[in-house]
């Protein structure tokens, strides 16, 4: 489960080993219920990679738990195997120091218990899809942004320990995008 910076929405990428599956259904958790937001027909190609998107929830407002159910040709859904929770970040000004801080508000999690021990912090200075690493948050949930870039988009990411694409050695999950804007700058000027 990751944020898709090009579309501005969350997506889930997964592999399946084939079998008698009609389609795959992406759901997010709301209370105790799983709500369907997308589906894709199964190709029956072993280890095929699928992507499903959430066009309902706003990643800037909250992170979500996602799961994918396989639907058999007879209509039965697979049991819940795992869920993955997306990363949500915010940018805040520390009142005491005046520094701007990127804060991990909701960290990446899975039902199976995986939680990352570090996050990579990125900036897209021109907000055009070209990310530059600005640091690593190695423990804790707050990263001080040195020299914030007005209009720059900030992200946190985590390398995931499983491999859903044989072309990559690891998979990466990105947080939602936070753009450092003029309102953030005006807060800094007022407090000076």
């Amino acid at each position: 489960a990751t944020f898709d910076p090009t579309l501005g929405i969350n997506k889930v990428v997964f592999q399946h080993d084939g079998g008698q599956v009609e389609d795959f259904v992406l759901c997010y958790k709301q209370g105790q219920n799983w709500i369907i937001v997308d589906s894709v027909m199964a190709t029956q190609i072993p280890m095929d990679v699928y992507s499903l998107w959430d066009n309902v929830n706003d990643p800037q407002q909250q992170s979500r738990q996602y799961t994918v159910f396989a639907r058999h040709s007879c209509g039965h859904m697979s049991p819940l195997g795992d869920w993955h929770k997306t990363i949500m970040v915010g940018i805040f000004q520390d009142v005491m120091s005046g520094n701007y801080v990127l804060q991990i508000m909701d960290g990446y999690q899975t039902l199976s218990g995986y939680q990352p021990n570090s996050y990579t912090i990125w900036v897209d200075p021109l907000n055009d899809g070209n990310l530059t690493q600005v640091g690593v948050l190695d423990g804790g949930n707050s990263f001080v942004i040195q020299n914030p870039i007005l209009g720059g988009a900030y992200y946190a990411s985590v390398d995931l320990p499983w491999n859903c694409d044989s072309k990559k050695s690891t998979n990466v999950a990105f947080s939602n995008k936070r753009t450092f804007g003029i309102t953030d700058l005006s807060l800094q000027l007022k407090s000076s």
Side-chain angles (χ1 to χ4, degrees):
T2 183
F3 177 74
D4 184 334
T6 58
L7 298 177
I9 58 176
N10 288 332
K11 74 175 180 179
V12 173
V13 180
F14 64 98
Q15 278 181 317
H16 188 260
D17 58 5
Q20 297 185 349
V21 175
E22 179 88 7
D23 63 350
F24 297 100
V25 179
L26 175 65
C27 299
Y28 71 91
K29 191 167 189 182
Q30 183 173 311
Q32 295 301 312
N33 300 315
W34 289 100
I35 311 298
I36 296 173
V37 289
D38 197 8
S39 66
V40 65
M41 298 298 292
T43 63
Q44 306 305 320
I45 299 171
M47 302 312 286
D48 206 1
V49 177
Y50 297 88
S51 296
L52 293 165
W53 288 266
D54 178 356
N55 287 300
V56 174
N57 294 285
D58 182 355
Q60 304 298 355
Q61 297 295 319
Q62 63 185 337
S63 63
R64 283 290 190 188
Q65 293 175 353
Y66 292 99
T67 194
V68 175
F69 293 103
R71 187 167 22 208
H72 189 271
S73 56
C74 67
H76 292 106
M77 299 282 261
S78 65
L80 176 64
D82 204 350
W83 53 255
H84 297 249
K85 185 175 183 184
T86 56
I87 307 164
M88 183 173 168
V89 299
I91 296 178
F92 305 97
Q93 186 178 25
D94 181 276
V95 176
M96 299 295 283
S97 67
N99 292 331
Y100 285 96
V101 175
L102 183 137
Q103 183 174 355
I104 308 290
M105 299 169 69
D106 284 312
Y108 195 90
Q109 297 179 39
T110 68
L111 174 65
S112 59
Y114 175 75
Q115 292 183 355
N117 54 17
S118 68
Y119 291 89
T120 304
I121 310 301
W122 304 88
V123 64
D124 179 354
L126 302 175
N127 215 350
D128 64 358
N130 293 308
L131 278 64
T132 302
Q133 182 177 333
V134 294
V136 173
L137 176 57
D138 205 5
N141 67 346
S142 297
F143 179 85
V144 175
I145 301 171
Q146 301 295 328
N147 304 313
I149 298 170
L150 183 62
Y154 288 85
Y155 302 86
S157 73
V158 60
D159 289 340
L160 301 176
W162 45 85
N163 184 12
C164 290
D165 185 343
S166 59
K167 298 179 187 101
K168 296 191 246 179
S169 59
T170 59
N171 288 318
V172 178
F174 280 93
S175 70
N176 60 312
K177 170 176 74 173
R178 287 295 183 200
T179 303
F180 188 77
I182 193 72
T183 56
D184 300 316
L185 185 59
S186 65
L187 288 173
Q188 182 184 30
L189 295 173
K190 287 179 185 175
S191 66
S192 307

